[in-house]
Amino acid sequence: MTCPLYIGLPMWSNQDWQGTLYPRHAKTELLSDYAAVFTSVEGNTTFYSGAPKPETVAAWARQAPAHFRFCFKLPASVTHDQRLTRLEDAWAFLAALAPLHDRLGPTMVQLPRDFGPDELPKLEALLAAWPTHLACAVEIRHPEFFHKGAAEKALNRLLITYRANRVMLDVRPLFSTSADGYPGLAHAQQEKPKVPLHVLSTANHPVIRFIGHVDKTINIDYFNAWKSQLSLWINQGKTPFLFVHTADNRESPSLARRLYNDLRAHTPLPPLGDFADEKQSQLF
C-alpha cells in the first residue's frame, strides 16, 4: 500500500505524548503505537547518534507496518564534521538501514549553515553516487541559496539532475511573533534558522518541515496556502512528505492531525487512526 501523502513528526519517542497519542502508562517500544496513527517520521536521532545498532534496526523493522516510511537524517559526522568528504561513511549508514530499505522515505541530508556554493561539488559527488533505489532530500541553510541568483539556480539544477528533493523548511509560523513569555518558543527561535520559504519540488517526494507556533490560529493561517500546493503535487503524481513540529513538540501530534484533516477537505486522503486516549474513552 502506498499513501498519496505521508505525514509525521520529528520523532516517535516523546514522554510528553503519554496520555494523548500514547497510553498514559505506555510501554517502552512506542513505534507500533505511533505507526498506528502517523505514516512517517523524520528520525532525527540518527543525525546526532549515527547509525543504529543491527538489533535496533531489526526491532524497528518488526514494529513498522509495510506502508510506513522512515526519513532518517545522515549523521552530523558525515554532513557537518566531514562536510561530505568521506562518502564511505554515508554508504555505511545506508547499509546499516538495509532491513528497512522497503520502508525508507527520502533520507535527509541536512547541511551546515556555512555550506555554501563553493562546496556544491561535494554535494554533487554524494548525489551522483547515491543508490538509485533510495530517495534523497537535501536541506540547505546557507543564505546564498535563498537569493534566487546564480547559486540557487546551480543548486536547483543539481537537485533536479540527480532527482533529489529540496527540503522546504517553513519557519514562518515560528518567527511570526516575539517569544516574550514563551521559553519554549524562544528556544526554538534560537535553534531554527530563519530562512525564507522557497516552494519548489525538484523530484518526486517534496519534503516540508512545518515549524509551528504556540498559537494554534497562527499555524492554521500559515498552513492554508499549503493545502492547494500539496493537492497540486498529489494530482501531479508526486508523493509529498509533511513533518510537523511545534516549539517544544508537546502539541505536534495534535497539530499534525489538525493540518492533515484540513488537507483532507481539499484532496482525498485516508483518515488517521485514533490517539490512545480516544481509544480508551471509546471503551467506556
Side-chain angles (χ1 to χ4, degrees), residues 7-9 38 244 251-261:
I7 186 166
L9 310 175
F38 296 106
V244 179
E251 301 298 324
S252 56
S254 59
L255 176 60
R257 183 169 62 174
R258 168 63 191 271
L259 300 183
Y260 184 84
N261 287 336

Side-chain angles (χ1 to χ4, degrees), residues 196-249:
L197 173 64
H198 287 191
V199 179
L200 176 68
S201 173
T202 56
N204 290 328
H205 303 292
V207 177
I208 301 98
R209 300 179 67 217
F210 185 88
I211 317 298
H213 194 277
V214 293
D215 186 327
K216 297 178 182 178
T217 303
I218 290 175
N219 297 326
I220 301 305
D221 289 344
Y222 276 104
F223 188 72
N224 278 334
W226 278 116
K227 291 186 286 189
S228 58
Q229 183 62 66
L230 288 166
S231 297
L232 174 63
W233 282 331
I234 292 170
N235 290 334
Q236 291 174 342
K238 298 189 176 188
T239 306
F241 283 74
L242 173 62
F243 296 112
V244 179
H245 301 231
T246 56
D248 56 14
N249 281 319

Side-chain angles (χ1 to χ4, degrees), residues 8-54:
L9 310 175
M11 77 287 286
W12 68 77
S13 181
N14 189 326
Q15 63 181 6
D16 291 331
W17 301 339
Q18 294 187 11
T20 53
L21 177 59
Y22 299 135
R24 189 166 301 279
H25 303 288
K27 58 188 179 182
T28 56
E29 293 183 352
L30 300 173
L31 178 56
S32 57
D33 290 331
Y34 175 93
V37 179
F38 296 106
T39 50
S40 188
V41 69
E42 276 193 19
N44 277 332
T45 55
T46 57
F47 180 77
Y48 302 100
S49 60
K53 297 179 180 178

Side-chain angles (χ1 to χ4, degrees), residues 87-168:
L87 296 186
E88 61 271 20
D89 289 350
W91 313 142
F93 174 76
L94 294 179
L97 301 175
L100 295 171
H101 278 192
D102 62 330
R103 278 162 286 183
L104 288 186
T107 298
M108 287 190 275
V109 181
Q110 181 178 299
L111 297 173
R113 299 187 192 202
D114 62 347
F115 191 100
D118 60 327
E119 293 189 273
L120 279 182
K122 297 179 185 177
L123 178 59
E124 180 167 16
L126 174 79
L127 298 180
W130 194 271
T132 56
H133 65 289
L134 298 178
C136 176
V138 178
E139 181 176 322
I140 45 84
R141 298 185 171 191
H142 194 285
E144 282 297 311
F145 294 127
F146 294 91
H147 290 168
K148 299 184 178 180
E152 184 168 12
K153 291 177 182 177
L155 169 70
N156 291 335
R157 281 197 302 268
L158 180 63
L159 298 178
I160 292 169
T161 298
Y162 293 103
R163 299 177 183 176
N165 303 275
R166 179 169 176 172
V167 176
M168 288 157 272

